[in-house]
Amino acid sequence: MSHTVGILGATGAVGQRLVQLLDPHPEFDLVALTASDDSAGKSYREAAKWRLDFAIPDAVAEMTVRRTDADDIPDDVDLLFSSLPSSVGERVEPGLCEAGYVVSSNSSNDRTADDVPLVVPEVNADHIDLLEVQRDERGWDGALVKNPNCSTITMVPTLAALDRAFELDAVRVSTLQAVSGAGYDGVSSMEIIDNAIPHIGGEEQKMESEARKLLGGFDGAAVSWHDADVAASCNRIPTLDGHLENVWADLGEDVTTEDAADALREFPSLDLPSSPDPLIHVFEEPDRPQPRLDRMRGDGMAVTAGGFRETSGGVQYNCLAHNTLRGAAGASVLNGELLADSGYI
Amino acid sequence: MSHTVGILGATGAVGQRLVQLLDPHPEFDLVALTASDDSAGKSYREAAKWRLDFAIPDAVAEMTVRRTDADDIPDDVDLLFSSLPSSVGERVEPGLCEAGYVVSSNSSNDRTADDVPLVVPEVNADHIDLLEVQRDERGWDGALVKNPNCSTITMVPTLAALDRAFELDAVRVSTLQAVSGAGYDGVSSMEIIDNAIPHIGGEEQKMESEARKLLGGFDGAAVSWHDADVAASCNRIPTLDGHLENVWADLGEDVTTEDAADALREFPSLDLPSSPDPLIHVFEEPDRPQPRLDRMRGDGMAVTAGGFRETSGGVQYNCLAHNTLRGAAGASVLNGELLADSGYI
Amino acid sequence: MSHTVGILGATGAVGQRLVQLLDPHPEFDLVALTASDDSAGKSYREAAKWRLDFAIPDAVAEMTVRRTDADDIPDDVDLLFSSLPSSVGERVEPGLCEAGYVVSSNSSNDRTADDVPLVVPEVNADHIDLLEVQRDERGWDGALVKNPNCSTITMVPTLAALDRAFELDAVRVSTLQAVSGAGYDGVSSMEIIDNAIPHIGGEEQKMESEARKLLGGFDGAAVSWHDADVAASCNRIPTLDGHLENVWADLGEDVTTEDAADALREFPSLDLPSSPDPLIHVFEEPDRPQPRLDRMRGDGMAVTAGGFRETSGGVQYNCLAHNTLRGAAGASVLNGELLADSGYI
Amino acid sequence: MSHTVGILGATGAVGQRLVQLLDPHPEFDLVALTASDDSAGKSYREAAKWRLDFAIPDAVAEMTVRRTDADDIPDDVDLLFSSLPSSVGERVEPGLCEAGYVVSSNSSNDRTADDVPLVVPEVNADHIDLLEVQRDERGWDGALVKNPNCSTITMVPTLAALDRAFELDAVRVSTLQAVSGAGYDGVSSMEIIDNAIPHIGGEEQKMESEARKLLGGFDGAAVSWHDADVAASCNRIPTLDGHLENVWADLGEDVTTEDAADALREFPSLDLPSSPDPLIHVFEEPDRPQPRLDRMRGDGMAVTAGGFRETSGGVQYNCLAHNTLRGAAGASVLNGELLADSGYI
């Protein structure tokens, strides 16, 4: 069964990745693209400064870009993927939901709102039913579901696996993040060549709060955040794609590296079109995963891990995911697939 | 007063940095250079593939390279700086010490030996007197002093400052290390462009053990290692020089970021020619220090820090040092200056 | 119809690309892998330090690596692809040909020998019949065909197109070459980060001579080299894959940019499995082709061009090809396809 | 004797380099800094996002930034260095000159105007007297002198040397330019990591016209442009500083590489504070100059060259200069020194 879908903010870095994933897609039929008013009325080819390393798909190239406005989006679009800047998302997403659109959004606004499900399907698919609460409270015909930040998504499946097998007390995580996470013009070359930047504004806080919401329980009425103490240190480095993260997980007990690795290896995936199998690939080689070699594992949707070492009361390891696929566009598409599978569209 | 000095392993990446620091130097007069047998007999200009971004000093360029062998080194050299590969250092350093030479070595062999002082002068200058024990036990006329690994040096002054002001319980440290740390041919371009490598063989262990020895007490007879639990995760990234580190220090008490920053800022330097003042420069800007912008602070001998955040029972911050200056060649030179100041040469 | 094939030197950078192209291939069935004696007897998984950004194909991973020696290669292999270091190729290729093997080689030895066809199928497929001369003169049952250097291959299709439409008098070409062209460990990161190297030993000469042989005529007995004056300047830059080249072609007449671009656009491809269609993709955008965006055009087998400008008596433009696919492994595979199509295997 | 000077556009990439060169300077005393209206009134420390790899000079840091307007600049400033964006330069420079200010400008506007001297002092210091014509024609009390584009400056001293020793007929030049040439935010990291861009808008034309004006003769009334046929191809690559260029110079005669190298080596420098001696450093090593190793030669003011090869009727070689020192800020300072030396201030 096929659903018609649109992309809000289709010309940006994540928007282009959404085009890549939706043309073609087994369940979704891409029928609408929006961008800023400047781009409206142009063909997508003209409006998007296409930056991926393959030619822009012909069918999409000739579509006319619309304004990011309910009046300009066909009424019968089943699902909208949003990769709007958060300031724009904050302004237009609620109105679209009120107008009846179902929105799967990558924008950072409202991720920690009480009645907005923040979902990584393989980790907390059950949270999707927070939409019932959302509709009750907001009186929306539409719905708003969010995926977390790219750096959060990278570690959360591994933390969920450890929390299920053991018990997660605390997390210290240091990230080595690719420049694409900041958007196409987000990091200038003079800032990052032969350099690294040990701070990404707001990113540490997002990892700390979003991870706890994702790992929390849902009782049908509300999400109770996980009480793990999460502290993040975020660094930008000169890589194009793929966030690498060093994690220390305190588990309140001594754990062997084998048991920890097994917990990740055996963490189940889902039967959604974009879910990889396995979800988490564990390397034996101590120097893996590496961004350039491993970011495309599982068509860019797998999480990879390795480098397990025992610590007192826990385990230390590294994990990696493709930040604009698994960590952004792919995360939104996956949430769209969950919405379809759950009957919300 | 001037001392004659030589460099063991003068053609390598650290050897070239030693040449840079010793020509000229206010206390040391460079008179001998050694390298592998292949290079012996050649001029330094021929033997060294000079890779620094200024012309090779003329006086040094015309010196004849010697074999790394007591027979080929003038008897009256007061001090030898060693930047030999550790397998070579292990083989030749003890013999040289036995032959009466005083050696300030950057090679990793014997760093954790009971009777070998491992010293960062501003942190544990008193350990130098472990040389008395060494001479007693080994019957050497010479002496062997070591500086730690570059990644250890980067964090240890900051940890010492915190330990003095508070009490250091545990350390989690994630490093973003420059390629020069692996030597000139240590990291191929295909390994590291658009990439990062989340493991550096043996480096994690060095940081964990060397830090505890450096922070330990010395009672005149032996060094008692600090009992802090140190866990490191070492990453190689595409930067040329400068190791950046994310540190979580557990201090057993809540500490304000101001107090933590002050502890670092006020940590005293020494009155040695190569010691910077201040030793630790603390940035207010949350996105500093950065390798390219800050590695040359204090002529490459300062440690810089920033990004303080409170954690439960401790503090989180970033620090940086130039890995081949403060972290290697400069560390050995500084130990040489301490040897002179302490009357060992 | 399927032919059994083997790879000589299968563990290196080009060898790995050959594995990528041959597993699977519509006409070739990969049955043998050789490497240095150190690797012989190991599984390919153990012997090859796999460096491509996807998992090593399972079937190939479990194959046992053989010695690069006629005694260790099955007699009934129809075709051997050679990506041996040229010093090894020089030593072993003639013996293999004498022993009856047909070899499609990327190694630089013998490329300009009188009786060895140097072929880029879309440019000079007719030269393949120089093999008749070769067999006569050398008394071989086997055969040796070569493809040119990666930097030569990048420009030669564009020069052939111009020479056919106009008349090529002289070429000035400046290259911006990727590090993979030097093999996995060929360029150290300290040499190339924040840098460029304006010379690649022997490369300028290869471009100048190989281009003239490829563009030359073949009368059934000998190749008469093209008399164009070719001068090259070769630079290594910090890119992973894809050689970009700035070309000035003197054509002895004023030519419009449209006519020049059309000549390239209309240059015919061949009906071989690995030949792209079109062979040369011409961009309208003046800032294309770019290595990262365009190297995979035509599955890495297309040449791309753009930036045409009129000069007095000629034209100036840029061209690009993937150096380890179109420029090396793919070039050898394409020659293998031509050998099959021509009945030599 | 000291002159008071100011910087127009002091916060940008070239502006920061001007601060570096003028604090301190033996002849100039920096007394005024201007920037856009947004920055006016702030301290330089606040207004400039300081990006050089050393601390901002304290004295300059506390200066108050002024508006780029004659009303806001002290009347008694002897000389203004301009690193304004060309659109701003075009608008404000003539007014300042009319108001009596002498301006040494790096902005690209008016470089090829008939009555504006375009000067590289070591090459065409005599052109400075075109200011007499300028004052006559424009009725200015002030004066406007320009330095050429960074990529032009890199090659012009070497072309002047060849033209003086032989006779320059034609030039083909291919550039490998650093990202700093586009200003701090000019090239995004996603555009250039693992990539190269074979076109820089307007840059090819600047090299072609500016070089001919610089190499032209001046008869006291007008500059007659050199009639050499110059064709450039400009590429951006992932280096921070230093433009490397491959040059083919047609000299109408066969020339040995020794004679060509000697012509460059012996080309005279000037006795101005910022002129290096020698002006052109010639390397024997065929793989030099390289941007990272050689850009700081002569404190960033020397041109370096190497890789000489004979061509039919000419010579081929490489040259390099630091694009924001010799190629921009240093070029303006040098023109300021020439203005002082010539009595124009």
Side-chain angles (χ1 to χ4, degrees):
Chain A
M1 194 186 72
S2 185
H3 302 276
T4 55
V5 302
I7 301 172
L8 307 176
T11 55
V14 174
Q16 296 191 13
R17 289 293 190 183
L18 282 166
V19 167
Q20 170 186 0
L21 295 177
L22 295 172
D23 182 81
H25 184 279
E27 295 190 344
F28 299 139
D29 183 21
L30 181 59
V31 299
L33 304 170
T34 84
S36 64
D37 289 359
D38 288 352
S39 297
K42 295 182 184 167
S43 70
Y44 185 68
R45 188 189 302 283
E46 285 173 289
K49 200 172 172 181
W50 187 256
R51 290 298 172 176
L52 298 177
D53 60 356
F54 48 88
I56 181 171
D58 281 329
V60 180
E62 300 314 319
M63 290 175 68
T64 301
V65 173
R66 299 159 187 265
R67 288 180 304 118
T68 304
D69 187 306
D71 293 344
D72 210 23
I73 301 171
D75 287 344
D76 57 354
V77 169
D78 297 321
L79 176 62
L80 293 171
F81 294 105
S82 168
S83 61
L84 298 167
S86 59
S87 59
V88 181
E90 194 167 21
R91 192 163 46 74
V92 307
E93 287 177 352
L96 288 165
C97 295
E98 189 159 356
Y101 294 99
V102 175
V103 180
S104 170
S105 168
N106 180 59
S107 306
S108 64
N109 53 295
D110 293 316
R111 279 187 192 146
T112 52
D114 281 348
D115 63 351
V116 175
L118 181 70
V119 178
V120 172
E122 297 94 336
V123 169
N124 66 333
D126 61 313
H127 289 207
I128 196 74
D129 289 331
L130 188 58
L131 288 179
E132 305 294 344
V133 178
Q134 184 186 81
R135 286 175 163 176
D136 272 3
E137 291 191 356
R138 305 208 186 194
W140 287 350
D141 288 328
L144 180 63
V145 61
K146 293 275 170 177
N147 56 264
N149 182 274
C150 48
S151 53
T152 309
I153 293 182
T154 300
M155 72 171 175
V156 156
T158 67
L159 297 177
L162 293 173
D163 195 37
R164 209 167 289 182
F166 313 103
E167 194 168 320
L168 189 68
D169 277 353
V171 177
R172 298 285 176 271
V173 57
S174 186
T175 70
L176 291 83
Q177 298 185 222
V179 295
S180 60
Y184 198 73
D185 292 316
V187 180
S188 87
S189 55
M190 289 205 68
E191 281 177 305
I192 204 69
I193 292 178
D194 184 19
N195 204 15
I197 304 174
H199 177 64
I200 302 176
E203 192 94 353
E204 287 86 359
Q205 288 75 11
K206 285 178 194 166
M207 291 186 76
E208 293 162 5
S209 56
E210 294 176 4
R212 292 180 52 219
K213 184 172 179 185
L214 286 160
L215 295 172
F218 175 62
D219 62 5
V223 172
S224 52
W225 291 26
H226 197 290
D227 59 5
D229 173 32
V230 181
S233 188
C234 294
N235 304 277
R236 189 78 66 193
I237 65 166
T239 45
L240 288 165
D241 290 306
H243 289 353
L244 172 66
E245 307 188 350
N246 301 154
V247 180
W248 285 270
D250 287 349
L251 301 171
E253 61 178 305
D254 285 351
V255 168
T256 67
T257 58
E258 291 75 16
D259 287 348
D262 282 347
L264 271 61
R265 213 178 263 123
E266 292 162 9
F267 190 75
S269 189
L270 286 186
D271 189 25
L272 294 173
S274 299
S275 277
D277 184 25
L279 173 63
I280 306 175
H281 178 87
V282 176
F283 286 99
E284 299 294 330
E285 300 90 334
D287 63 351
R288 300 291 280 271
Q290 294 179 18
R292 191 170 70 80
L293 299 181
D294 302 317
R295 60 196 173 203
M296 286 307 297
R297 182 73 57 151
D299 292 328
M301 290 299 287
V303 172
T304 54
F308 289 86
R309 292 180 71 207
E310 292 169 22
T311 61
S312 59
V315 69
Q316 159 182 359
Y317 62 95
N318 305 308
C319 58
L320 179 144
H322 193 297
N323 56 302
T324 57
L325 291 174
R326 162 54 75 169
S332 294
V333 170
L334 207 48
N335 278 347
E337 293 167 3
L338 178 65
L339 286 164
D341 191 61
S342 310
Y344 284 98
I345 60 171
Chain B
M1 194 187 72
S2 185
H3 303 274
T4 56
V5 303
I7 300 172
L8 307 176
T11 56
V14 174
Q16 296 191 13
R17 289 293 190 182
L18 282 166
V19 167
Q20 170 186 1
L21 295 177
L22 294 172
D23 181 81
H25 184 279
E27 296 190 344
F28 299 139
D29 184 21
L30 181 60
V31 300
L33 303 169
T34 84
S36 63
D37 289 359
D38 288 353
S39 297
K42 296 182 184 166
S43 72
Y44 185 68
R45 188 190 300 282
E46 286 173 288
K49 199 172 172 182
W50 186 255
R51 291 296 172 176
L52 298 177
D53 59 355
F54 48 88
I56 182 172
D58 280 331
V60 180
E62 302 313 320
M63 290 175 68
T64 301
V65 173
R66 299 159 187 264
R67 287 182 303 119
T68 304
D69 186 306
D71 293 346
D72 209 23
I73 302 171
D75 287 344
D76 58 355
V77 168
D78 297 321
L79 176 62
L80 293 171
F81 294 106
S82 169
S83 61
L84 297 167
S86 59
S87 59
V88 181
E90 194 166 21
R91 191 162 48 74
V92 307
E93 287 177 352
L96 288 165
C97 295
E98 189 157 359
Y101 294 100
V102 175
V103 179
S104 170
S105 169
N106 180 59
S107 306
S108 64
N109 52 296
D110 294 315
R111 278 187 192 147
T112 53
D114 281 349
D115 62 351
V116 174
L118 180 71
V119 178
V120 173
E122 297 95 335
V123 169
N124 67 334
D126 60 315
H127 289 207
I128 196 74
D129 289 331
L130 187 59
L131 288 179
E132 304 294 343
V133 180
Q134 183 186 83
R135 286 175 162 175
D136 271 4
E137 291 190 357
R138 306 209 184 193
W140 286 350
D141 286 330
L144 180 64
V145 61
K146 293 275 169 177
N147 57 263
N149 181 275
C150 47
S151 53
T152 308
I153 293 181
T154 300
M155 72 172 175
V156 155
T158 69
L159 297 177
L162 293 173
D163 194 37
R164 209 168 289 182
F166 313 102
E167 193 169 320
L168 190 67
D169 278 352
V171 177
R172 298 286 176 271
V173 57
S174 185
T175 70
L176 291 83
Q177 297 185 224
V179 295
S180 60
Y184 198 72
D185 292 316
V187 180
S188 87
S189 56
M190 288 204 68
E191 282 178 304
I192 205 70
I193 292 178
D194 183 20
N195 204 15
I197 305 174
H199 176 64
I200 302 176
E203 193 94 353
E204 287 87 358
Q205 287 76 11
K206 285 177 194 166
M207 291 186 76
E208 292 161 5
S209 56
E210 293 176 5
R212 294 179 51 218
K213 184 172 180 185
L214 285 159
L215 295 171
F218 176 62
D219 61 5
V223 172
S224 52
W225 291 25
H226 197 289
D227 58 6
D229 173 33
V230 181
S233 187
C234 294
N235 304 276
R236 188 78 68 193
I237 65 165
T239 45
L240 288 164
D241 288 307
H243 289 353
L244 173 65
E245 307 189 350
N246 301 154
V247 180
W248 285 269
D250 288 348
L251 301 171
E253 61 177 303
D254 286 350
V255 169
T256 66
T257 58
E258 292 74 15
D259 287 349
D262 282 346
L264 270 62
R265 213 177 262 123
E266 292 162 10
F267 190 75
S269 190
L270 287 185
D271 189 25
L272 295 173
S274 300
S275 277
D277 184 25
L279 173 62
I280 305 175
H281 177 87
V282 175
F283 286 99
E284 299 294 330
E285 300 91 334
D287 64 350
R288 301 292 278 271
Q290 294 178 19
R292 191 170 70 80
L293 299 182
D294 302 317
R295 60 195 173 204
M296 286 308 296
R297 183 73 58 151
D299 293 327
M301 290 299 287
V303 172
T304 53
F308 290 86
R309 292 180 71 208
E310 293 168 22
T311 60
S312 59
V315 70
Q316 159 182 359
Y317 62 96
N318 305 307
C319 58
L320 179 144
H322 194 297
N323 56 301
T324 58
L325 292 173
R326 164 52 75 169
S332 294
V333 169
L334 206 48
N335 278 348
E337 293 167 4
L338 178 65
L339 286 164
D341 191 61
S342 311
Y344 284 98
I345 59 170
Chain C
M1 194 185 72
S2 184
H3 302 275
T4 56
V5 302
I7 301 172
L8 307 176
T11 55
V14 174
Q16 296 191 12
R17 288 293 191 183
L18 282 165
V19 167
Q20 171 187 359
L21 296 177
L22 295 172
D23 181 80
H25 184 280
E27 295 189 344
F28 299 140
D29 183 22
L30 181 59
V31 300
L33 303 169
T34 84
S36 65
D37 290 358
D38 288 352
S39 296
K42 294 183 185 167
S43 71
Y44 184 68
R45 189 190 300 283
E46 285 173 289
K49 199 172 171 179
W50 186 255
R51 290 297 172 176
L52 298 176
D53 60 357
F54 48 87
I56 181 171
D58 281 330
V60 179
E62 301 314 320
M63 290 175 68
T64 300
V65 173
R66 299 158 187 266
R67 287 180 304 117
T68 304
D69 187 305
D71 294 345
D72 210 23
I73 301 172
D75 287 345
D76 58 355
V77 169
D78 297 321
L79 176 62
L80 292 172
F81 294 106
S82 169
S83 62
L84 298 167
S86 60
S87 59
V88 180
E90 195 166 21
R91 191 162 48 73
V92 307
E93 287 177 352
L96 288 166
C97 295
E98 190 159 358
Y101 294 99
V102 175
V103 179
S104 170
S105 169
N106 180 60
S107 306
S108 65
N109 53 294
D110 292 315
R111 280 188 192 146
T112 53
D114 281 350
D115 62 352
V116 175
L118 180 71
V119 179
V120 172
E122 298 94 336
V123 169
N124 66 334
D126 61 315
H127 289 207
I128 196 74
D129 289 330
L130 188 60
L131 287 179
E132 304 294 342
V133 179
Q134 183 187 83
R135 286 175 163 176
D136 272 5
E137 291 192 356
R138 305 210 185 192
W140 287 350
D141 287 328
L144 180 63
V145 61
K146 294 275 170 178
N147 57 264
N149 183 276
C150 47
S151 53
T152 309
I153 293 181
T154 300
M155 72 171 176
V156 155
T158 67
L159 297 177
L162 293 173
D163 195 37
R164 209 167 289 183
F166 313 102
E167 194 169 319
L168 190 68
D169 278 353
V171 177
R172 298 285 177 270
V173 57
S174 186
T175 71
L176 292 82
Q177 298 185 223
V179 295
S180 60
Y184 198 74
D185 292 316
V187 180
S188 87
S189 55
M190 288 205 69
E191 281 177 305
I192 204 70
I193 291 178
D194 184 20
N195 204 15
I197 306 174
H199 176 65
I200 302 176
E203 192 94 353
E204 287 87 358
Q205 288 75 12
K206 286 178 194 166
M207 291 187 76
E208 292 161 6
S209 56
E210 294 176 4
R212 294 180 52 220
K213 185 174 180 184
L214 285 160
L215 295 171
F218 175 62
D219 62 5
V223 172
S224 52
W225 290 26
H226 197 288
D227 59 4
D229 173 33
V230 181
S233 187
C234 294
N235 304 277
R236 188 79 66 192
I237 65 166
T239 45
L240 288 165
D241 289 306
H243 289 353
L244 173 66
E245 307 189 350
N246 300 153
V247 180
W248 285 270
D250 287 350
L251 301 171
E253 60 179 303
D254 286 350
V255 169
T256 67
T257 58
E258 291 75 17
D259 288 348
D262 282 346
L264 270 62
R265 212 177 263 124
E266 293 162 8
F267 190 76
S269 189
L270 286 185
D271 189 24
L272 294 173
S274 299
S275 278
D277 184 25
L279 174 61
I280 305 175
H281 178 87
V282 176
F283 286 99
E284 299 294 329
E285 300 90 334
D287 63 351
R288 301 289 281 271
Q290 294 178 17
R292 191 170 70 79
L293 299 181
D294 302 318
R295 60 195 173 204
M296 286 308 297
R297 182 73 57 152
D299 293 327
M301 291 298 287
V303 171
T304 53
F308 290 85
R309 293 180 70 208
E310 293 169 21
T311 60
S312 59
V315 69
Q316 159 182 359
Y317 62 96
N318 305 309
C319 57
L320 178 144
H322 194 296
N323 57 302
T324 58
L325 292 174
R326 163 52 76 169
S332 294
V333 169
L334 207 48
N335 279 348
E337 293 167 4
L338 179 65
L339 286 164
D341 191 62
S342 310
Y344 284 99
I345 59 169
Chain D
M1 194 186 74
S2 185
H3 303 273
T4 55
V5 302
I7 301 172
L8 307 176
T11 56
V14 174
Q16 296 191 12
R17 290 294 191 182
L18 282 165
V19 167
Q20 171 186 0
L21 295 177
L22 295 172
D23 182 81
H25 184 279
E27 295 190 343
F28 299 140
D29 183 21
L30 181 60
V31 300
L33 303 170
T34 85
S36 63
D37 289 359
D38 288 351
S39 297
K42 295 182 184 166
S43 71
Y44 184 67
R45 187 191 301 282
E46 286 173 288
K49 199 172 172 181
W50 186 255
R51 291 295 172 177
L52 299 177
D53 59 356
F54 47 88
I56 181 171
D58 280 331
V60 179
E62 301 313 319
M63 290 174 68
T64 300
V65 173
R66 299 158 187 266
R67 287 181 305 118
T68 304
D69 187 306
D71 293 346
D72 209 23
I73 301 171
D75 286 344
D76 58 355
V77 169
D78 296 321
L79 176 62
L80 293 172
F81 294 106
S82 168
S83 61
L84 297 167
S86 59
S87 58
V88 180
E90 195 166 22
R91 190 161 48 74
V92 307
E93 287 177 352
L96 289 165
C97 295
E98 190 159 359
Y101 294 99
V102 175
V103 180
S104 170
S105 169
N106 180 60
S107 306
S108 65
N109 52 296
D110 293 315
R111 280 188 191 144
T112 53
D114 281 349
D115 62 351
V116 174
L118 179 71
V119 178
V120 172
E122 298 94 336
V123 169
N124 66 333
D126 61 315
H127 289 206
I128 197 74
D129 288 331
L130 188 59
L131 288 179
E132 304 294 344
V133 179
Q134 183 185 85
R135 287 174 162 176
D136 271 5
E137 291 192 356
R138 306 209 184 193
W140 287 349
D141 287 328
L144 180 63
V145 62
K146 293 274 169 177
N147 57 263
N149 182 275
C150 47
S151 52
T152 309
I153 293 181
T154 300
M155 71 171 177
V156 154
T158 67
L159 297 177
L162 293 173
D163 194 37
R164 210 167 288 182
F166 313 103
E167 193 170 318
L168 190 68
D169 278 352
V171 177
R172 298 285 176 270
V173 57
S174 185
T175 70
L176 291 83
Q177 298 185 224
V179 294
S180 61
Y184 198 74
D185 292 316
V187 180
S188 87
S189 56
M190 288 205 69
E191 281 178 304
I192 204 70
I193 292 178
D194 183 20
N195 204 15
I197 304 174
H199 176 66
I200 302 176
E203 193 95 353
E204 288 87 358
Q205 288 75 10
K206 286 178 193 166
M207 292 186 76
E208 293 162 5
S209 57
E210 294 176 5
R212 294 179 51 219
K213 184 173 180 185
L214 285 160
L215 295 171
F218 175 62
D219 62 5
V223 172
S224 53
W225 290 24
H226 197 289
D227 59 5
D229 172 32
V230 181
S233 187
C234 294
N235 304 277
R236 189 78 68 192
I237 65 165
T239 46
L240 288 165
D241 289 306
H243 289 352
L244 173 66
E245 307 188 350
N246 301 154
V247 180
W248 285 269
D250 288 349
L251 301 170
E253 61 177 304
D254 286 350
V255 168
T256 67
T257 59
E258 292 75 16
D259 287 349
D262 281 347
L264 270 61
R265 213 177 262 123
E266 292 162 9
F267 190 75
S269 189
L270 287 185
D271 189 25
L272 294 173
S274 300
S275 277
D277 184 25
L279 173 62
I280 305 174
H281 177 87
V282 176
F283 286 99
E284 299 294 330
E285 301 90 333
D287 63 351
R288 301 292 280 270
Q290 295 178 18
R292 191 170 69 81
L293 299 182
D294 302 317
R295 60 195 174 204
M296 285 309 296
R297 183 72 59 152
D299 292 328
M301 290 299 287
V303 172
T304 53
F308 290 85
R309 293 179 70 207
E310 292 168 21
T311 61
S312 58
V315 70
Q316 159 183 359
Y317 63 96
N318 305 308
C319 58
L320 179 143
H322 194 296
N323 56 302
T324 58
L325 292 173
R326 163 52 76 169
S332 294
V333 170
L334 207 47
N335 278 349
E337 293 167 3
L338 178 64
L339 286 164
D341 191 62
S342 310
Y344 283 99
I345 59 171

